[in-house]
Amino acid sequence: AFDVDPYTTTTIHAIATHCCSTTVTDDDESENKTKKELFGFPFLTSFPANLTCRQVYKHFWKAVQHIPGVQEEWMKICITENDGKARPVFEDNTTAVVPSECDDPIVDYLGKDVTERFMFLSMEWKNSSDLEKPAFVTVIDHVSYTEGIRKERAISGATRGGVTLDQCFQ
């Protein structure tokens, strides 16, 4: 799924993945490690570069709030590198978690050049056992898409939804 604006220097383009974090204890039980499990479809979105951290958080919540069973307090958004590793840029570079209550512009933390490349994020979900993970791979067609298809079919006189792959090779 995607919702992208044209490429400009005033727009940030972001790729977001979904993951659940679980704590794993080492064999010697002296150190706990966090294991991240990716799930669902990543999505691409755009937003104005002048948004605050709070507005960015709300932008991402708005993109996923339609998914059955999710709750906002379960969501944490982390800035990552393109390989998924955390990129600490908040609180004097000690955390990658986007502060949901901060009214500072996000570019103050990311730098002005963030509009010249993609920003990578990880939407980390707590209470993973309560999440309906199949819902994260369900594609819901926006009403504008279904209306556009309906109009196109009416104009072209098409009564069927296309051809099967087997029909293409016949």
Side-chain angles (χ1 to χ4, degrees):
F2 60 91
D3 174 23
V4 182
D5 293 330
Y7 181 81
T8 67
T9 58
T10 60
T11 302
I12 296 175
H13 300 290
I15 298 172
T17 58
H18 299 282
C19 74
C20 294
S21 297
T22 53
T23 303
V24 179
T25 306
D26 260 353
D27 291 338
D28 63 5
E29 297 186 24
S30 63
E31 187 178 329
N32 290 337
K33 294 182 180 179
T34 302
K35 179 183 173 190
K36 293 183 181 180
E37 171 196 352
L38 293 174
F39 67 93
F41 290 138
F43 67 93
L44 179 63
T45 188
S46 300
F47 53 88
N50 64 353
L51 289 187
T52 66
C53 295
R54 179 191 313 260
Q55 291 170 319
V56 169
Y57 182 90
K58 291 295 182 188
H59 174 83
F60 282 91
W61 170 245
K62 184 178 175 188
V64 296
Q65 69 184 4
H66 70 279
I67 298 173
V70 299
Q71 295 182 24
E72 186 174 0
E73 58 271 11
W74 295 354
M75 183 181 78
K76 176 173 70 171
I77 302 171
C78 297
I79 306 296
T80 66
E81 299 294 345
N82 62 353
D83 62 1
K85 291 182 182 168
R87 180 179 167 212
V89 294
F90 302 104
E91 297 179 21
D92 295 324
N93 298 328
T94 60
T95 183
V97 178
V98 175
S100 61
E101 300 298 321
C102 177
D103 290 318
D104 295 338
I106 197 155
V107 295
D108 287 359
Y109 299 97
L110 301 175
K112 301 284 184 196
D113 68 336
V114 73
T115 60
E116 296 175 11
R117 53 190 160 85
F118 282 97
M119 180 172 115
F120 294 89
L121 302 144
S122 173
M123 298 181 74
E124 298 183 9
W125 296 92
K126 294 186 239 172
N127 297 353
S128 62
S129 60
D130 294 333
L131 286 175
E132 296 179 30
K133 291 181 184 172
F136 284 81
V137 294
T138 303
V139 177
I140 300 171
D141 290 331
H142 190 271
V143 68
S144 63
Y145 171 76
T146 54
E147 181 65 17
I149 293 296
R150 187 191 63 72
K151 286 180 182 177
E152 178 65 29
R153 287 184 180 156
I155 291 169
S156 68
T159 56
R160 293 188 330 140
V163 296
T164 66
L165 186 58
D166 288 336
Q167 291 169 324
C168 289
F169 292 108
Q170 291 178 355

